[in-house]
Amino acid sequence: MSERMRRVDEQLREVLAEAVRGLKDPRIGFVTITGVRTSPDLGQAEVYYTVLEDDEAVRAATAEGLAHAAAALRRQLARSVRLKRVPDLHFVADPATEHGQRIEALLREVADQQPSAAEEDEG
């Protein structure tokens, strides 16, 4: 990825992060925009986000709310960012967060199965 594309992606992420905070849709709770990846022609952008809640219903409602707000967020981008073409936005739940939580749970599980130092001294 070129340096220019990295700068564009970061600028889009910053504008979208601010714009999402201002949305009034009750389906959209505490959302963090974690990254943006645009296509080389700037026609499409995948917007990665995380949701604070672990509840699947909340996550689904957030995804629905973000998809519904995509046109308004795109208009906000057009006003805030100087680009020939403003990309269509596609929101994607960031898999890195869930992956990290899964690894953490597995590490806790392994740690719980290990005998403690006191148990080893007794044996």
Side-chain angles (χ1 to χ4, degrees):
M1 178 185 294
S2 72
E3 182 61 30
R4 178 182 182 273
M5 289 304 294
R6 269 193 279 276
R7 285 193 318 262
V8 168
D9 288 351
E10 181 58 23
Q11 186 176 18
L12 294 178
R13 188 198 65 75
E14 289 174 6
V15 171
L16 287 169
E18 186 66 32
V20 165
R21 282 188 217 119
L23 293 175
K24 303 290 186 216
D25 191 328
R27 295 174 290 188
I28 301 172
F30 188 76
V31 174
T32 302
I33 303 299
T34 58
V36 175
R37 185 172 299 146
T38 54
S39 62
D41 67 352
L42 295 177
Q44 306 289 319
E46 289 184 337
V47 180
Y48 295 92
Y49 69 93
T50 59
V51 180
L52 184 62
E53 295 288 327
D54 282 337
D55 184 11
E56 192 58 41
V58 171
R59 289 176 185 260
T62 299
E64 188 178 298
L66 288 171
H68 181 75
L73 292 169
R74 188 169 184 251
R75 285 190 298 274
Q76 178 67 36
L77 281 176
R79 286 191 295 269
S80 302
V81 180
R82 296 188 88 167
L83 292 173
K84 283 184 190 177
R85 184 177 187 182
V86 177
D88 291 328
L89 304 176
H90 304 280
F91 290 91
V92 180
D94 192 343
T97 304
E98 289 182 22
H99 186 70
Q101 290 172 345
R102 175 75 177 131
I103 290 172
E104 189 175 308
L106 289 172
L107 289 173
R108 265 188 263 120
E109 186 178 312
V110 168
D112 290 344
Q113 292 176 359
Q114 298 294 322
S116 69
E119 290 173 354
E120 287 181 6
D121 289 341
E122 291 175 9

